[in-house]
Amino acid sequence: MTDVFTLLTLPVSSKNAFATYRGSGAVKDRSDSPPRKTPRLNTDSDSASASRSRQPSAGSTENRENTGPLSLSLIGAPIQPHHEHYYDQDSALVKRSIRVLLSRNNKDTLPATYDKIYNACRAVICVAKKGDGISQSFKLELERCIGELAQELVSEGKSEVEYILPIIEVCAWFEKQVTLLESLLAYFDRKYLLDRSSSSGLRQICYEQFSLRVLEDATIQGWVRKSIEEWVTWERQNNSEHPLRPHIPQLISRLSHHGKYETIFEDTYLTCTENFYLAESEEKAKELAPIDFLNYTLQRIKDEIQRSKDVLPHSIWHKVEDMVMRSLLMGRLEWIVNSVLPQFMKTMDVGRLQALYELFVNVDGQQVVLAGFRSYVLETVKRIVTDVERDEEMVDRFLKLKAFTDTLLTETFAESEPIPLMGPLSSINTSVNRAGSSNEPMDVDALPPPKKVNRKWNDTIRDAFSASFKARRNKPAEMIAKYLDKEMRKGQKGKADSVFEKELDAVLELSRFTEDRDVFRTFYHRQLARRLLLQKSASDDFEKAMLKKLKEQYDPEFSMGDHMFNDLSLSRDTMREYLAHIGKTTNQQLNAMVLQSSFWPFSAKKSEAFLPPDMQNELSKFTAFYKSKHQGHKLDWEHSLGTATLKGQFKNEAKELQVSLYQALVLLLFNEETELTFADIKERTRIEDGELRRTLQSLSLGKKRVLKKQPTGKDVKDDDSFIFNADFTDPAYRIHINSIQVKETPEESKKTQSLIETDRKHVLDAAIVRMQ
């Protein structure tokens, strides 16, 4: 459709259009363009043609000066402009094409090829400047088309899932036709419409009208929403995929193209989700136990997340997960925690505790879990403290519970970055390696950020232990001190120093929870004194290190132990002087420890035990020697803490027996007789009745039975007899016979309580003085 006027336009009013033209022979200037090459002629040789531009011809303008203008003559009839209706045919073609493209049920084909329609539109818009007619026809046809589509959808309306099929079909057809229109009417779209600042593009106009007349129609939109509800409700009730599920992504795509995804699909889906799970939560809470309800909730969340991944856009995944969790759990958090958390804590199920915590975090239920956790720890510790029958297990149970709560504190309830999407379900299977497979390289950047101890949870643990210790004043502190005594007696037993020290630190940490620090300190000093005097400590180095730690990190008043070690050191020096003084005149060797009563947590008892003459003689000599060195000092002997080493001759072999002093006094009686009654032994040794019975039990009923009791029985009675066991055998030459230690005598208990009360009185007096 190109004419000469579009290719060549001549001046209309100027009569001198070429008057100023000058030939190439004019005087050259530096601004003049270089001479052009002359086209090569067929008759020219290569060399001639190459030099043609350099050789001026006879008539060339280069050899003469331009003396006048050139004239241009047009041969033929003059060109006449087209008449006004010349482009009506092109305009009609474009309008007819628009009608055909926007007619869904019209079987007519396009009146021309794509190329002809495209060129016709260009001619009408760019040459004829008649875009207004095309615009008017386009708007009318668009309104008619959209009206027919809306009427079609209304007539096919149904409140079932199948209604999404005609919606998808109509939207897809309309979008296809708009795309084709956009291509064929490119000059109308990009020239005519966009040149008008107030106008939108062709696609935008079509989509806006379609959204307004179709997707925003109350009837159509209501049926679409109902179809979405029917689909998702069917899947939730039947726990399976609906046959039309593959069409849901298509519906979402169609709605997204028209900007109606959020207002129609997302809002409907979330509202339906909330209503469905609120009703289901009410129903299941009546049918299921809390643990079953929790498992059901986790499974529902898992199903919804999988449905979201399979069908829905990524932007809605978290919204759906959050809506499901809140609808199922809100109003039931305390009910679940009060029943479920104690079960998980009792079985120490870290995985399920973490799943519970992460689930509640997503519904802002951290405080509910924290309150339930505190209640459980408080009740458990209180139950341990008040369980009198299991006092010996008290500290072991404390340590087990504290270790578990510390694990939860650093791993499960620790502070970290916000829980990633779908976090609660990641803890259901605790066997999953979160860092990935061991066969794959670990991405350092992909690792979760390091967790920090949650201070609220840490304070909750401390408060729960501290409050529960008050349920039985003094006892937890006493048992912690006695447990440390047992550990210091056993020693490392092959453990590394760091491991043993860590175990001791865990026990010491328990002492921070008790307000009865003075009770702990007093009992620890008492047990330390026994270990040192009876030489039961596994390591003096660990004893000194423990005292240093207690004094620096726990209680500055732990200074008595230093004085104990100083007394022992002075006693060793005194014994060296004594042995040097008497010389080695006998086979017996006395080892006495002289202790200052003010530095040791118990006083000597007036013992009436009768010692053999040679033993008593040794004590008398040492007493005389000591008084000669320290005039005015008084020595009181504590035989209950004494030890002895005896050599025993049995039928098969001789043995070296390491026994307490009371055990030695009993065994020495059998040098003279092979059988003695309980009454005879008591009269000849004068050992206190209870102490003597325990001593005879250790010699005749323990693992190393060097005596035989007649008649047999667990208890020692007044009419029992004891016989030397000459047939005793043991693979070891040196044998240690343990004595049966009474837990605490009334005198020791009274002394301990007296010391504690005295110390407390001094502290109160000092506080009163400061206030005054």
Side-chain angles (χ1 to χ4, degrees):
M1 305 303 292
T2 305
D3 52 50
V4 130
F5 291 105
T6 62
L7 300 176
L8 177 63
T9 302
L10 297 177
V12 177
S13 60
S14 176
K15 297 181 179 180
N16 300 317
F18 295 94
T20 59
Y21 172 77
R22 291 174 179 265
S24 59
V27 178
K28 294 183 178 180
D29 186 66
R30 289 187 180 183
S31 63
D32 293 341
S33 300
R36 298 182 181 180
K37 290 184 179 181
T38 303
R40 181 182 300 172
L41 302 177
N42 293 335
T43 58
D44 292 337
S45 64
D46 292 340
S47 60
S49 62
S51 61
R52 184 180 299 277
S53 62
R54 303 190 190 96
Q55 298 176 359
S57 62
S60 172
T61 56
E62 292 185 6
N63 294 327
R64 63 181 178 85
E65 184 178 357
N66 186 14
T67 58
L70 297 177
S71 61
L72 177 66
S73 298
L74 296 177
I75 302 173
I79 301 174
Q80 299 295 329
H82 292 306
H83 55 80
E84 181 180 358
H85 300 289
Y86 181 82
Y87 293 100
D88 289 353
Q89 186 177 359
D90 291 337
S91 177
L93 176 62
V94 172
K95 293 178 181 179
R96 185 178 177 186
S97 299
I98 293 174
R99 183 174 184 83
V100 171
L101 290 174
L102 292 180
S103 297
R104 174 171 165 77
N105 298 320
N106 192 348
K107 303 300 181 182
D108 295 341
T109 59
L110 287 174
T113 63
Y114 289 169
D115 184 62
K116 288 184 178 181
I117 298 172
Y118 176 84
N119 289 328
C121 180
R122 181 182 62 81
V124 173
I125 299 299
C126 298
V127 180
K129 308 296 183 181
K130 294 184 178 181
D132 292 341
I134 300 297
S135 176
Q136 185 68 23
S137 178
F138 168 73
K139 291 180 180 179
L140 292 175
E141 293 297 335
L142 181 62
E143 291 180 3
R144 177 194 57 78
C145 174
I146 294 177
E148 291 178 355
L149 295 177
Q151 184 63 32
E152 178 183 347
L153 290 174
V154 170
S155 62
E156 293 184 6
K158 57 184 72 175
S159 58
E160 298 177 358
V161 183
E162 288 76 9
Y163 188 70
I164 67 174
L165 297 179
I167 286 289
I168 295 172
E169 184 180 352
V170 167
C171 291
W173 176 86
F174 185 77
E175 292 166 14
K176 178 183 177 182
Q177 300 307 103
V178 170
T179 301
L180 188 55
L181 278 172
E182 195 176 30
S183 299
L184 296 179
L185 307 183
Y187 279 91
F188 174 72
D189 179 27
R190 302 180 185 179
K191 176 67 177 172
Y192 178 83
L193 293 178
L194 295 185
D195 282 350
R196 288 154 177 74
S197 58
S198 60
S199 299
S200 304
L202 184 147
R203 181 179 293 272
Q204 184 177 354
I205 293 174
C206 293
Y207 280 11
E208 287 178 353
Q209 290 296 317
F210 185 83
S211 297
L212 180 63
R213 299 280 302 279
V214 177
L215 297 180
E216 293 184 12
D217 182 89
T219 303
I220 297 174
Q221 190 176 113
W223 285 333
V224 173
R225 292 178 182 272
K226 188 64 176 178
S227 299
I228 297 171
E229 293 178 6
E230 290 288 338
W231 159 68
V232 70
T233 303
W234 188 94
E235 288 200 352
R236 287 166 177 164
Q237 290 177 345
N238 294 275
N239 292 321
S240 61
E241 297 182 8
H242 194 279
L244 294 181
R245 173 188 274 202
H247 296 281
I248 297 300
Q250 300 176 28
L251 175 64
I252 293 174
S253 177
R254 301 280 81 83
L255 295 176
S256 299
H257 287 169
H258 299 282
K260 297 299 178 183
Y261 160 73
E262 291 185 358
T263 57
I264 296 180
F265 188 93
E266 186 173 299
D267 290 351
T268 302
Y269 192 91
L270 293 177
T271 302
C272 177
T273 300
E274 181 180 18
N275 295 335
F276 180 85
Y277 283 113
L278 282 175
E280 187 174 73
S281 175
E282 187 73 24
E283 177 185 352
K284 295 298 180 181
K286 298 176 181 178
E287 298 177 0
L288 303 176
I291 181 64
D292 297 326
F293 183 87
L294 177 63
N295 293 332
Y296 183 83
T297 299
L298 292 174
Q299 184 59 44
R300 274 301 199 183
I301 296 172
K302 183 178 180 181
D303 294 341
E304 288 296 333
I305 289 174
Q306 189 59 48
R307 182 181 297 108
S308 299
K309 287 183 176 181
D310 294 341
V311 180
L312 306 181
H314 185 275
S315 59
I316 197 177
W317 290 2
H318 180 70
K319 297 177 183 179
V320 174
E321 180 191 17
D322 184 70
M323 183 64 71
V324 174
M325 289 188 293
R326 291 184 182 278
S327 300
L328 285 171
L329 295 175
M330 293 310 292
R332 315 197 189 282
L333 300 181
E334 292 83 359
W335 175 64
I336 295 174
V337 166
N338 294 337
S339 175
V340 170
L341 189 139
Q343 298 181 41
F344 294 166
M345 290 290 294
K346 188 175 182 179
T347 57
M348 296 188 176
D349 195 335
V350 178
R352 302 191 74 179
L353 280 169
Q354 185 165 358
L356 177 69
Y357 177 70
E358 292 180 356
L359 179 65
F360 276 51
V361 165
N362 282 282
V363 294
D364 303 324
Q366 301 98 314
Q367 293 301 321
V368 177
V369 182
L370 180 62
F373 177 77
R374 183 184 187 279
S375 177
Y376 174 82
V377 176
L378 188 67
E379 293 177 3
T380 303
V381 177
K382 185 179 295 184
R383 186 167 55 251
I384 294 174
V385 170
T386 56
D387 191 355
V388 180
E389 296 181 356
R390 300 177 65 183
D391 275 350
E392 296 300 323
E393 304 174 29
M394 180 186 293
V395 179
D396 281 320
R397 296 166 71 184
F398 283 158
L399 292 173
K400 185 177 181 180
L401 178 62
K402 184 62 168 58
F404 179 58
T405 57
D406 287 345
T407 300
L408 296 178
L409 187 66
T410 56
E411 296 181 8
T412 304
F413 304 142
E415 292 180 347
S416 61
E417 295 297 324
I419 298 175
L421 186 63
M422 303 173 196
L425 301 179
S426 63
S427 299
I428 291 178
N429 185 1
T430 57
S431 63
V432 174
N433 183 359
R434 298 192 173 197
S437 173
S438 58
N439 297 325
E440 299 177 358
M442 183 179 296
D443 184 2
V444 177
D445 296 333
L447 292 176
K451 295 182 177 181
K452 300 179 181 179
V453 173
N454 193 314
R455 297 190 65 178
K456 286 186 177 180
W457 289 81
N458 188 31
D459 294 342
T460 296
I461 294 174
R462 298 182 65 86
D463 293 344
F465 270 87
S466 299
S468 299
F469 275 19
K470 297 177 183 179
R472 193 176 173 197
R473 299 304 299 254
N474 299 342
K475 197 61 179 180
E478 175 186 346
M479 298 310 299
I480 293 172
K482 291 182 177 180
Y483 187 89
L484 281 173
D485 172 64
K486 184 171 61 176
E487 291 297 307
M488 298 302 287
R489 287 171 181 264
K490 291 191 303 184
Q492 296 173 257
K493 289 191 174 181
K495 301 176 184 177
D497 290 352
S498 59
V499 175
F500 185 58
E501 185 176 359
K502 186 177 180 179
E503 293 177 354
L504 295 178
D505 288 342
V507 182
L508 289 178
E509 187 66 21
L510 295 176
S511 67
R512 294 184 184 275
F513 302 139
T514 178
E515 295 180 354
D516 304 315
R517 300 285 180 87
D518 51 350
V519 176
F520 171 73
R521 182 175 60 250
T522 301
F523 276 96
Y524 185 85
H525 280 146
R526 288 180 60 83
Q527 304 301 329
L528 173 63
R530 287 183 177 277
R531 292 196 299 274
L532 295 179
L533 294 178
L534 299 176
Q535 298 180 356
K536 298 293 184 180
S537 179
S539 170
D540 286 349
D541 292 336
F542 265 111
E543 293 284 6
K544 293 178 180 179
M546 178 65 73
L547 285 172
K548 181 179 180 182
K549 180 177 293 186
L550 285 169
K551 184 164 59 175
E552 294 178 354
Q553 301 180 17
Y554 292 86
D555 189 348
E557 298 184 22
F558 266 97
S559 58
M560 186 179 292
D562 296 333
H563 296 295
M564 293 181 189
F565 277 102
N566 187 46
D567 275 358
L568 295 178
S569 178
L570 293 175
S571 295
R572 286 191 287 270
D573 294 340
T574 301
M575 284 306 305
R576 281 194 291 269
E577 294 179 8
Y578 173 70
L579 294 176
H581 172 71
I582 63 174
K584 293 184 179 181
T585 57
T586 64
N587 291 330
Q588 296 181 352
Q589 180 174 330
L590 175 67
N591 184 17
M593 287 181 285
V594 182
L595 313 175
Q596 299 184 57
S597 59
S598 58
F599 295 150
W600 296 80
F602 45 79
S603 59
K605 296 179 291 186
K606 294 290 183 178
S607 177
E608 301 295 334
F610 181 78
L611 301 181
D614 51 353
M615 284 188 181
Q616 188 62 49
N617 185 39
E618 287 291 333
L619 295 183
S620 299
K621 289 193 294 183
F622 178 81
T623 302
F625 170 78
Y626 183 81
K627 289 186 175 181
S628 66
K629 296 289 185 179
H630 305 279
Q631 296 182 1
H633 287 198
K634 179 182 179 182
L635 291 179
D636 291 323
W637 295 99
E638 179 58 76
H639 296 320
S640 62
L641 299 175
T643 60
T645 302
L646 305 177
K647 289 185 177 180
Q649 184 64 48
F650 300 92
K651 284 185 178 180
N652 298 328
E653 53 189 347
K655 299 290 183 182
E656 185 176 289
L657 306 178
Q658 295 178 346
V659 294
S660 69
L661 182 58
Y662 287 159
Q663 289 172 330
L665 296 180
V666 172
L667 290 177
L668 288 175
L669 297 178
F670 290 90
N671 283 333
E672 303 172 359
E673 300 181 35
T674 58
E675 182 176 356
L676 292 170
T677 64
F678 173 79
D680 292 338
I681 297 173
K682 182 177 181 181
E683 181 181 356
R684 295 172 66 174
T685 60
R686 297 181 183 178
I687 300 175
E688 188 267 330
D689 185 271
E691 194 70 48
L692 178 58
R693 293 179 190 273
R694 290 190 293 274
T695 300
L696 290 171
Q697 281 180 324
S698 65
L699 294 173
S700 61
L701 301 175
K703 294 181 179 179
K704 314 293 184 181
R705 300 185 179 185
V706 293
L707 298 180
K708 295 180 181 180
K709 187 175 83 72
Q710 296 292 339
T712 59
K714 294 182 178 180
D715 299 326
V716 176
K717 299 180 179 179
D718 295 342
D719 56 351
D720 288 346
S721 298
F722 297 88
I723 305 170
F724 178 70
N725 185 12
D727 298 327
F728 173 78
T729 58
D730 194 273
Y733 172 73
R734 184 176 291 105
I735 301 171
H736 177 76
I737 302 178
N738 293 320
S739 58
I740 298 177
Q741 297 289 335
V742 65
K743 293 182 178 180
E744 188 175 33
T745 64
E747 292 182 2
E748 290 174 336
S749 178
K750 185 178 179 180
K751 177 64 176 180
T752 301
Q753 296 299 330
S754 176
L755 289 173
I756 293 172
E757 294 300 328
T758 300
D759 292 341
R760 289 178 175 176
K761 183 177 182 300
H762 293 331
V763 172
L764 290 174
D765 290 344
I768 293 172
V769 171
R770 284 196 299 270
M771 291 177 64
Q772 291 177 346

